[in-house]
């Protein structure tokens, strides 16, 4: 054990055999031939093992600082220490010289290590001196220490290598470090080669393209496929763009010419210019503004829908007068919204409107759209950006004044990508849509000449601000006679052609069609009717193909091919007992009739409600019971009829959710019928909201409800007095078959709805009902 001066070496590791120069101020006064212990130090922490070094000589650095040259000799571990008279730390050092004997494992490690380091030197572009230095080292320990010369190896790994006293372990550690270094250099080489290869390929393509352009120029072959600036400039001049759009196109073209074909932006600019040129800026259809001819087209294509036809004819008449009298065209488009049950022809009428006006027709399905960019387009900064659906619709139409049908506008949703219905606000606002701006094109587009038609099954899910911009036209469904006419004039001929038949193969009179309408379908539209006729014609086609002659459709043929009767008139049977009343309702599929049943039983006083009723409908039932209890004496109900009894109100079709206040009078009628023993007339249907004072308040959907009641065979309709004006919307042929009873109070409803009182006292009637 030898006492040596301890010299810390900051952020560096000195190995045996390595020569370093350290400022004399850091070493202290030492003499040549003296030994010191060099210990690695980082952030005040010393390594456990250092290097015993000989002081070779004192020298002067170029900056004038005196330094000491030290050469590592062997590894040494510091023990106890003391401070000498000069304030320097001297420690007891145990020297650990490397063993020189070799076994088979050490020889294998030496061979592998030399091979790995030679590959590293080759990748680093060694000029031969490094390999010669490596070959001059014979001892395995010194060979492992050469890893300490590599600048890529981290400080902590070098400290660990210095502290490994066993030669074999040190060789294994050095081999691992050199292999990691080799892998990193190989990755760098691969990346460098890829970059150089890509750059060379781009340079080669650039030269070839320049040569190709020169060859084409010599041959006089420009062509549209060349995509040159001159080609775009000619197309822009011919496109008939508005001034602000043309200026934008010319700016983008100037960018393209400055960027060149090899620029990363060139393809994006070309795509943008292609979209600008794809829009029919100067193309407009020659309008047919003859109201009489347009009405003829609409009548030929669709039966019924008089409100829609009248509105289209009014629009054409106004445009015709403004044009003929030279009135300046205003910036106001037309947005008609057709609201009604499925299968009533809302979508198909769009094509008829376009044909009647002599315009192109484009359908945009909005069902399930949840991304605002679907309407307004994506910003050009996004990869794969495209214009919105409106721009694409104009491109597909080929004109700037088509008829665009926004189908299923009530099915538009919203999520984290935005609210498409908010984007439609500008599109459907007559005061704004003359300056619509798509996010991708970023230029103003005039949509004021477009006729927008929107369709929806209901208005409840359409946001209020969007609905405010629409002119709503209600499709309340078809009458039986209208369905028969539609089946005769449109559905049956189309199904006959679709089944490969001719008109001579099938003969069906109106009575047969009426049978299909009344006993196999009960819907507001005609979609189920179309399916039933399709099934019928396919069955007939099978018979004709088998050799049968022409078929006359009658009751027997209908029963054989369509099966048993599907729809029944059950008001007579359902209301035969007290406690059942017939109401009317409106669903997403149109109008319908519903039966409300009431029952009383002995038990705790209360009210049970079933039938999957909503909160509003439950409140209506409670109001009805409260009104009946508070007016029991007037109704001839015994005072003790409610004592110790509970009541159950049920609305059948329990799988279907129901809500709304319009069943209030029907529930009150059912309860009064139960408690008085007076059945409800089987010909009566009713609707209206009930208050605690017994007043009947107005409701919506009168026309749809009346049509449903008429289809169900009911002939007397009770409606609120304040809905009297809505009865004007009921088709005249249906109204002629019905008797309406506008009522202000529930008492008037009961007078119409209930059968005469039986010849018994109220208490006896109650016992029978109970």
């Amino acid at each position: 054990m030898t006492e040596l001066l301890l010299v810390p070496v900051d952020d560096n590791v000195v190995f045996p055999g390595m020569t370093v120069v350290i400022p004399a101020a850091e070493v202290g006064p030492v003499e040549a031939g003296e030994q010191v212990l060099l210990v690695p130090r980082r952030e005040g922490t010393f390594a456990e093992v250092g290097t015993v070094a000989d002081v070779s000589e004192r020298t002067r650095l170029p900056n004038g600082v005196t330094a000491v040259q030290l050469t590592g000799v062997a590894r040494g571990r510091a023990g106890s220490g003391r401070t000498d008279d000069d304030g320097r730390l001297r420690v007891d050092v145990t020297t650990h010289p490397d063993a020189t004997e070799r076994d088979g494992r050490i020889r294998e490690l030496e061979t592998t290590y030399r091979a790995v380091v030679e590959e590293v030197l080759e990748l680093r572009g060694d000029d031969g001196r490094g390999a010669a230095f490596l070959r001059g080292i014979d001892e395995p320990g010194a060979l492992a220490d050469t890893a300490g010369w590599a600048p890529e190896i981290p400080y902590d790994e070098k400290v660990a290598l210095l502290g490994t006293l066993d030669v074999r372990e040190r060789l294994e550690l050095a081999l691992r470090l050199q292999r990691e270094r080799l892998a990193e250099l190989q990755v760098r080489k691969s990346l460098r080669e890829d970059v150089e290869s890509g750059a060379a390929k781009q340079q080669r393509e650039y030269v070839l393209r320049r040569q190709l352009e020169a060859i084409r120029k010599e041959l006089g072959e420009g062509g549209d496929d060349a995509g040159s600036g001159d080609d775009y400039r000619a197309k822009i001049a011919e496109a008939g763009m508005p001034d602000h759009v043309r200026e934008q196109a010319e700016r983008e073209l100037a960018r393209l010419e400055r960027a060149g074909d090899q620029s990363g932006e060139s393809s994006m600019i070309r795509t943008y210019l292609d979209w600008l040129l794809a829009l029919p800026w100067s193309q407009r259809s020659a309008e047919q503004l003859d109201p009489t001819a347009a009405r003829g087209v609409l009548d030929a294509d669709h039966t019924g829908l008089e409100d829609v036809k009248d509105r289209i004819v009014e629009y054409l008449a106004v445009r015709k007068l403004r044009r003929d009298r030279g009135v300046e065209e205003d910036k106001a488009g037309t947005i008609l919204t057709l609201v009604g049950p499925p299968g009533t022809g809302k979508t198909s009428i769009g094509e008829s409107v376009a044909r009647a006006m002599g315009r192109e027709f484009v359908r945009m399905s909005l069902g399930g759209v949840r991304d605002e960019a679907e309407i307004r387009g994506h910003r050009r900064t996004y990869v794969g950006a495209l214009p919105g659906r409106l721009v694409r619709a104009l491109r597909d139409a080929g004109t700037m004044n088509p008829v665009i049908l926004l189908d299923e506008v009530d099915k538009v949703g919203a999520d984290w990508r935005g609210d498409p219905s908010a984007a439609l606000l500008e599109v459907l606002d007559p005061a704004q849509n003359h300056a619509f701006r798509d996010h991708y094109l970023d230029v103003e587009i005039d949509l004021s000449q477009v006729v927008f038609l929107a369709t929806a099954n209901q208005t409840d899910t359409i946001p209020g601000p969007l609905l405010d911009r629409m002119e709503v036209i209600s499709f309340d469904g078809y009458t039986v006679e209208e369905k028969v006419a539609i089946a005769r004039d449109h559905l049956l001929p189309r199904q006959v052609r679709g089944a490969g038949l001719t008109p001579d193969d099938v003969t069906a009179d109106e009575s047969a069609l009426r049978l299909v309408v009344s006993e196999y379908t009960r819907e507001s539209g005609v979609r189920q009717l179309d399916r039933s006729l399709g099934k019928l014609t396919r069955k007939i086609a099978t018979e004709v193909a088998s050799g049968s002659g022409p078929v006359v459709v009658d009751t027997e043929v209908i029963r054989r091919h369509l099966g048993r009767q599907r729809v029944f008139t059950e008001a007579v049977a359902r209301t035969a007992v007290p406690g059942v009343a017939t109401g009317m309702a409106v669903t997403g599929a149109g109008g319908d009739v519903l039966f409300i049943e009431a029952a009383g039983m002995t038990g705790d006083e209360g009210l049970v409600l079933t039938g999957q009723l909503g909160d509003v409908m439950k409140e209506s039932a409670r109001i009805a019971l409260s009104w009946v209890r508070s007016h029991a004496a007037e109704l001839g109900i015994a005072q003790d009829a409610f004592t110790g009894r509970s009541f159950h109100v049920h609305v059948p079709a329990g799988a279907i959710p129901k809500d709304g206040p319009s069943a209030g009078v029907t529930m009150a009628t059912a309860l009064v019928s139960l408690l008085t023993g007076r059945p409800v007339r089987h010909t009566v249907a009713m609707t209206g909201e009930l208050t605690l004072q017994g007043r009947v308040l107005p409701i919506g959907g009168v026309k749809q409800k009346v049509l449903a009641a008429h289809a169900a065979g009911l002939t007397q309709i009770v409606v609120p007095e304040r809905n009297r004006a809505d009865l004007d919307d009921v088709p005249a042929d249906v109204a002629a078959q019905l008797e309406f009873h506008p009522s202000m109070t529930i008492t008037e409803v009961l007078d119409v709805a209930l059968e005469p009182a039986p010849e018994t006292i109220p208490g006896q009637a109650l016992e029978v009902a109970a």
Side-chain angles (χ1 to χ4, degrees):
M1 182 177 294
T2 308
E3 185 180 69
L4 300 177
L5 176 66
L6 188 146
V7 178
V9 181
D10 290 327
D11 296 330
N12 195 8
V13 182
V14 180
F15 286 84
M18 187 181 294
T19 299
V20 295
V21 177
I22 300 177
E26 298 181 11
V27 178
V30 293
E31 301 296 335
E34 187 178 348
Q35 288 187 329
V36 297
L37 181 66
L38 303 177
V39 181
R41 180 177 67 178
R42 172 173 282 188
E43 298 179 355
T45 302
F46 289 88
E48 295 182 358
V49 177
T51 303
V52 178
D54 289 337
V55 179
S56 301
E57 61 181 2
R58 299 177 74 87
T59 184
R60 185 174 294 276
L61 299 177
N63 59 3
V65 176
T66 302
V68 178
Q69 182 174 313
L70 304 168
T71 302
V73 177
R75 285 170 170 78
R77 187 186 297 272
S80 60
R82 67 179 181 82
T83 303
D84 60 12
D85 297 338
D86 297 329
R88 296 177 299 176
L89 179 63
R90 293 182 175 274
V91 295
D92 295 330
V93 179
T94 303
T95 305
H96 295 274
D98 291 338
T100 56
E101 66 274 5
R102 292 179 173 88
D103 56 14
R105 175 58 179 165
I106 290 179
R107 289 191 181 91
E108 179 184 347
L109 290 172
E110 283 185 279
T111 303
T112 306
Y113 182 83
R114 291 179 187 276
V116 170
V117 174
E118 286 177 358
E119 288 189 39
V120 170
L121 293 174
E122 182 180 352
L123 290 174
R124 291 181 62 87
D126 180 52
D127 57 0
R129 288 182 294 180
F133 171 76
L134 191 66
R135 288 192 295 270
I137 299 175
D138 294 331
E139 296 183 2
L143 183 64
D145 286 343
T146 58
W149 295 84
E152 297 89 354
I153 295 178
Y155 170 84
D156 293 338
E157 298 287 3
K158 290 182 179 181
V159 171
L161 186 66
L162 179 64
T164 305
L165 303 178
D166 184 79
V167 173
R168 187 173 64 180
E169 293 180 1
R170 192 189 311 161
L171 269 173
E172 290 175 346
L173 176 58
L175 179 59
R176 178 178 66 81
L177 295 175
Q178 293 288 19
R179 279 176 170 166
E180 292 175 356
R181 182 183 176 201
L182 175 61
E184 182 180 353
L185 289 173
Q186 288 174 336
V187 170
R188 290 181 179 179
K189 179 184 177 183
S190 176
L191 292 175
R192 184 171 60 253
E193 290 176 349
D194 289 344
V195 172
E196 292 174 353
S197 174
K201 182 179 179 182
Q202 281 190 342
Q203 182 68 17
R204 180 171 175 271
E205 288 181 355
Y206 175 76
V207 173
L208 290 175
R209 288 185 184 277
R210 298 293 296 180
Q211 292 176 348
L212 181 61
E213 290 177 5
I215 293 172
R216 283 177 170 169
K217 185 176 181 180
E218 289 295 328
L219 295 176
E221 296 178 355
D224 293 339
D225 57 344
S228 66
D230 292 339
D231 296 328
Y232 278 117
R233 189 168 284 104
K235 292 178 181 178
I236 291 171
E238 297 172 359
M241 299 176 176
D243 292 341
H244 68 281
V245 179
R246 187 184 67 255
E247 292 172 0
Q248 173 70 7
E250 291 173 349
R251 282 194 297 268
E252 293 296 325
L253 180 57
R255 285 184 58 207
L256 176 63
E257 293 174 337
R258 289 194 302 268
D261 292 339
Q262 302 306 315
S263 171
E265 289 187 345
S266 61
S267 61
M268 183 182 69
I269 298 174
R270 289 178 185 276
T271 303
Y272 177 77
L273 290 174
D274 290 340
W275 272 107
L276 276 182
L277 293 170
L279 282 183
W281 298 102
S282 60
Q283 302 299 319
R284 282 171 175 75
S285 300
E287 282 190 310
Q288 300 174 6
L289 299 180
D290 185 351
T292 303
R295 184 58 185 250
V297 171
L298 296 174
D299 288 338
D301 290 349
H302 290 81
T303 301
L305 309 180
E306 299 301 324
D307 292 341
V308 181
K309 296 175 183 178
D310 291 342
R311 183 62 186 87
I312 297 299
V313 170
E314 292 168 5
Y315 171 76
L316 294 178
V318 170
R319 288 187 64 89
K320 183 176 186 300
L321 288 177
R322 294 179 68 92
R323 185 192 65 181
D324 294 346
R325 298 181 179 181
V327 179
E328 181 182 355
E329 188 67 30
D330 60 354
K331 299 292 186 180
T334 299
I335 297 93
L336 302 180
T337 302
L338 315 178
V339 180
T344 51
K346 300 185 299 298
T347 302
S348 62
I349 200 172
E351 297 184 29
S352 299
V353 171
R355 191 160 65 89
M357 300 178 66
R359 297 192 181 197
E360 298 296 326
F361 175 76
V362 182
R363 174 177 172 268
M364 285 176 51
S365 178
L366 299 180
V369 173
R370 295 182 176 274
D371 189 354
E372 179 188 1
E374 287 285 329
I375 306 298
R376 300 186 66 94
H378 301 80
R379 299 287 184 186
R380 277 195 288 164
T381 53
Y382 296 105
V383 176
L386 285 175
R389 291 196 180 193
L390 281 167
V391 171
R392 283 177 274 170
L394 293 176
R395 178 202 60 183
D396 296 342
T399 67
M400 295 298 288
N401 63 339
V403 174
I404 296 182
L405 181 72
L406 305 176
D407 209 8
E408 307 292 352
V409 73
D410 58 328
K411 307 300 190 303
V412 173
D415 61 11
W416 57 270
R417 292 169 292 186
D419 187 356
S421 63
L424 288 173
L425 292 177
E426 180 183 2
V427 177
L428 300 183
D429 191 345
Q432 301 181 45
N433 62 9
H434 65 280
F436 172 74
R437 188 176 290 269
D438 183 85
H439 284 162
Y440 180 82
L441 296 182
D442 200 26
V443 294
E444 291 185 355
I445 302 173
D446 186 3
L447 300 179
S448 62
Q449 300 299 314
V450 177
V451 174
F452 285 103
L453 295 178
T455 69
N457 293 131
Q458 53 190 359
T459 58
D460 297 346
T461 56
I462 301 177
L466 182 59
L467 186 62
D468 183 62
R469 287 161 169 79
M470 300 174 173
E471 181 176 342
V472 175
I473 299 177
S474 297
F475 278 47
D476 295 317
Y478 296 106
T479 66
V480 173
E481 295 303 323
E482 287 175 340
K483 290 181 180 180
V484 171
I486 293 171
R488 180 191 64 231
D489 300 334
H490 303 284
L491 303 183
L492 184 60
R494 185 174 70 230
Q495 292 293 349
V496 167
R497 290 192 302 271
L501 301 170
T502 65
D504 296 334
D505 294 326
V506 182
T507 303
D509 58 14
E510 290 193 4
S511 62
L513 296 176
R514 185 173 285 102
L515 179 66
V516 176
V517 169
S518 60
E519 296 190 5
Y520 291 88
T521 65
R522 179 176 290 174
E523 56 177 341
S524 296
V526 292
R527 193 163 289 153
Q528 182 60 38
L529 175 60
D530 191 27
R531 284 194 286 264
S532 298
L533 293 177
K535 180 179 180 180
L536 182 63
T537 54
R538 289 194 300 272
K539 297 287 187 181
I540 294 174
T542 303
E543 294 182 354
V544 173
S546 301
S548 300
V551 176
V552 177
V553 179
D554 55 14
T555 303
E556 191 275 330
V557 171
I558 293 174
R559 294 279 189 257
R560 185 171 72 248
H561 293 322
L562 296 185
R564 58 180 177 80
Q565 180 178 350
R566 305 289 182 183
V567 177
F568 300 89
T569 302
E570 49 187 350
V572 176
R574 296 289 289 271
T575 59
V577 297
V580 181
T582 307
M584 298 180 290
V586 175
T587 67
D592 198 3
V593 296
L594 51 84
F595 297 95
I596 294 181
E597 304 172 348
M601 63 212 78
T602 304
D604 296 335
E605 296 184 11
L607 178 63
V608 179
L609 302 171
T610 56
Q612 205 173 161
L613 309 183
D615 292 339
V616 176
M617 203 165 185
K618 291 178 180 178
E619 292 174 355
S620 298
R622 296 188 183 98
I623 292 172
L625 180 60
S626 297
W627 183 86
V628 173
R629 293 188 65 170
S630 63
H631 294 78
E634 303 171 18
L635 298 171
I637 301 173
Q639 294 296 326
D640 59 349
F642 301 95
T643 304
R645 301 187 70 199
S646 64
F647 294 90
H648 187 160
V649 175
H650 175 65
V651 184
I656 302 175
K658 311 168 189 69
D659 202 6
S662 62
V665 297
T666 313
M667 291 177 171
T669 302
L671 289 170
V672 173
S673 172
L674 171 72
L675 293 168
T676 60
R678 299 168 60 186
V680 177
R681 291 187 173 93
H682 65 270
T683 59
V684 175
M686 63 197 76
T687 183
E689 179 180 355
L690 179 65
T691 70
L692 280 176
Q693 297 178 350
R695 299 187 64 84
V696 180
L697 301 184
I699 41 79
V702 171
K703 181 180 177 182
Q704 295 186 48
K705 294 177 179 180
V706 170
L707 292 179
H710 173 257
L714 302 169
T715 58
Q716 298 187 68
I717 311 298
V718 178
V719 297
E721 173 65 34
R722 289 167 61 181
N723 283 117
R724 181 189 291 269
D726 295 327
L727 299 177
D728 296 338
D729 297 333
V730 178
D733 58 332
V734 173
Q737 304 174 44
L738 302 176
E739 183 180 355
F740 296 102
H741 300 276
S743 303
M744 287 290 293
T745 64
I746 184 63
T747 304
E748 298 176 20
V749 175
L750 297 175
D751 291 342
V752 175
L754 297 180
E755 296 283 359
E759 295 298 329
T760 58
I761 62 174
Q764 292 175 330
L766 177 61
E767 292 174 3
V768 173

